[in-house]
Amino acid sequence: MTDLERLRQLADRNADGTAATAEAAELSALLRNRPDLQDAYLGYLDTHALLCWEFRNGAEQAVADSTAPSRAVAAPKSKVAAWLPWSMAAAATVVAVAALLRPFELAEAETSLAPPPSTIATNAASSNAIVALLVDEAGAEFAAGRAPQGVRVGPGEYELLKGVVHLRFAEGADLVLAGPARLAVTDSLHVRLDFGKVRVIAPPTAKGFTIGTPTADYVDLGTEFGLRVEQDGASDLYVFDGRVNIAEPRSGRVLAEVVEGKSSRCVLGGLVGPAPEMKESDFPNPGAIGFVRWQEYERRMSDDRELLAFFPFRRTTDDSLLTNSQSNHAMSDGRIVGARWTLGRWPGKEALLFERNSDFVQLEVPGEHRELTIAVWLKLDRLDFELNTILNSDRSDRGDVHFQLTRQGLPRGGLLGHPVYDHFVGNPVPVGKWAHVAMAISVDARTQRIYVNGKLARDRPFLGNDVIRPGSCRLGNWLPGENWADSVRALRGRVDEVAIWSRALSEDELKHLVEAGRPELFWNEESPVVAAHR
């Protein structure tokens, strides 16, 4: 664990009021003579105070009969960038709660345009007001001086050079912006899109959410739509659900009403008919950001020369083929037997469903190895058997590997042919929830460890001298020997990623893998807690 990660743990406990005296002393010692950690801690305190303030404000709005049409809240100066990954989920939750608690006065306005916007700030960095929060991103790069302050989005101009960001406004509207794009935020109900692509999802509390463009204003009436603005100002509207009004920018006069399934194109001279055909990928939704992030991670994986195989579970014209996308060809493709293609962690991501005793994928892990890591993203439906296979060698000889789960979901496995002294130090793999499970074996370090969601769950000392020879293996099942002919160890659930390295990954490396592949913003990496076992 890095000092920054430990600082996060201690800061969380301190903020929650649960820190023991020894932990408070450890926090103090950690901050002493470390300007980098001091700066990060100040940022954490800043964000924590902001979130408390936001929540209080939302609660007060619920009981106050406020008539203010939009909201821009003052905030202290920020140093939140270093805490962005830790605070995004909490921040999004706070904004969502605030939106839900707000009075529903806007929902009563049937077709009227949103109230006029307040004066816009000209520089994002110059404003301390907050009207939205950045709750997720993938590969996002902003232009200098036109970036949010950490998770805070105030009135001002923003330019996304590349990547995708998800903004949640105080009134509840979600806006997914795909770069390159330039956006000016006026308040929690008004933005201007100079160019680029956005998807807007607006609940009733955000009715009247308006996107201005050089050619028209687009007024949301409780709906979901995509909007593309070109460099010459021409704009294309696609309504996925509900209804959107197109208005003349200066007068507010409604030019057209566009409903679900329809589109409209507007140029400087006015409306010219339906918009050109669109691709679904032009307007990513909030759930797809995780998939975009994973695709970037997949591209980086190809540079790892110690990666023997990476199976992204991408369906091809041959339904029985599980493709190894790693270009070094250290391992061949897998052969699917029985398992069916289904949905994976995100829309567009595929997985294999193992639901019968005869389902498996045949793999070949060739060669001898002194270190090996097998990492899998899976979602268990249930645990039917005493042992449930993730990946096992087809034999049970010295040097073979077994990687399984007990009926309680506790991971087991390692190199065969040696005395077993299992020591469970973590928690089981949960049922009904995506989880990352990895087994790392090192002959040289004499360790065999299994991690669940990046945290050590099982530690078994390596007591032999054999090298690792996985050979022919089955994913999601096993090939029982003569003495185990009646033993069924079939997996029940989905698998949508398998990676195999010829080295033992560290806990820190596995945590990075978990972060890159987390299924969604609000995915909780924690597993059910059980007492320690031996």
Side-chain angles (χ1 to χ4, degrees), residues 156-159 167 175 177 181-185 191-193 198:
E157 295 185 349
Y158 302 87
E159 184 167 354
L167 309 180
L175 186 151
L177 183 69
R182 183 183 297 159
L183 184 77
V185 175
V191 302
R192 186 187 75 239
L193 182 64
V198 295

Side-chain angles (χ1 to χ4, degrees), residues 71-76 124 126-132 149 152-156 158 186:
R71 186 161 60 106
V73 295
S126 67
S127 173
N128 287 329
I130 296 176
V131 296
Q149 299 177 11
R152 307 160 188 232
V153 178
Y158 302 87
T186 306

